Amino acid sequence: MADRMSGATLRPMLPTDGPMLASIFQASVETLTEEDYSDDQREAWAALADTPDFAKRLTGGLTLVASLAGEPVGFAVLEGKDKIGMLYVAPDLARQGVATMLCDALQRIAAGRGTAKLIVDASDTARDFFMVRGFVPMVRNMVSVGGEWLGNTTMEFDLVAAGLNKPADEAS
């Protein structure tokens, strides 16, 4: 794992990255979520990559791209200053540190922006990843996507308690 990921880098999204990130999103949804969502749910979810809203989400926040040998292998979006809007990794690199690298970077950026708590609506597949990182489940959600209902969990990470950010009264 370390050898394969040792050359991984992070960079901001480039205008030409859209199609590759859409492909990573679709492959990740179709492959990595099989145990948690039905075929119809995954098909509806993956189809979001073909909508204008997908491109808007990528360009509407801070999108970081993880690259290996110059090729995108994952991405994450920080929406506003306190929400992880997306975090997806190419299936062949799942559980090899890409998501951790992306999440670490978003946590540091959010803390640098003065955010006290970071939130994410984690899929059932991603829930354990976020739990291990210290995110706490807050609310269970059912979201309608392409005529299918998908469950996810709103989770919260306290950047202050983790020592990544100082409380507002100590920040000055």
Side-chain angles (χ1 to χ4, degrees):
M1 169 174 79
D3 290 341
R4 190 161 186 201
M5 291 312 301
S6 63
T9 60
L10 289 180
R11 63 170 172 77
M13 178 186 164
L14 302 173
T16 56
D17 287 333
M20 177 58 85
L21 300 187
S23 292
I24 290 170
F25 171 84
Q26 288 176 320
S28 178
V29 169
E30 291 166 356
T31 305
L32 300 177
T33 66
E34 284 181 310
E35 293 181 18
D36 298 303
Y37 298 94
S38 72
D39 290 345
D40 290 341
Q41 288 172 317
R42 291 191 332 272
E43 184 178 320
W45 187 1
L48 291 175
D50 299 324
T51 68
D53 285 343
F54 184 81
K56 274 187 194 175
R57 286 188 73 191
L58 291 176
T59 59
L62 169 66
T63 300
L64 295 180
V65 176
S67 297
L68 191 59
E71 292 297 316
V73 295
F75 69 95
V77 180
L78 182 63
E79 296 175 351
K81 55 183 220 174
D82 68 349
K83 183 174 184 182
I84 297 174
M86 294 183 176
L87 195 158
Y88 292 90
V89 174
D92 60 333
L93 290 171
R95 294 173 184 80
Q96 295 190 38
V98 177
T100 296
M101 183 171 58
L102 287 161
C103 194
D104 285 349
L106 291 187
Q107 286 176 301
R108 287 191 305 273
I109 291 166
R113 292 179 173 181
T115 302
K117 294 180 188 234
L118 192 58
I119 59 170
V120 64
D121 291 331
S123 69
D124 293 349
T125 305
R127 182 183 156 122
D128 288 346
F129 167 80
F130 286 107
M131 293 264 305
V132 166
R133 296 187 56 78
F135 282 74
V136 177
M138 305 302 285
V139 178
R140 181 74 177 154
N141 310 298
M142 293 301 291
V143 181
S144 177
V145 176
E148 294 291 324
W149 288 97
L150 285 75
N152 71 28
T153 303
T154 300
M155 303 178 80
E156 185 177 274
F157 182 81
D158 190 327
L159 293 163
V160 175
L164 295 172
N165 197 356
K166 293 182 180 176
D169 58 344
E170 294 180 22
S172 336

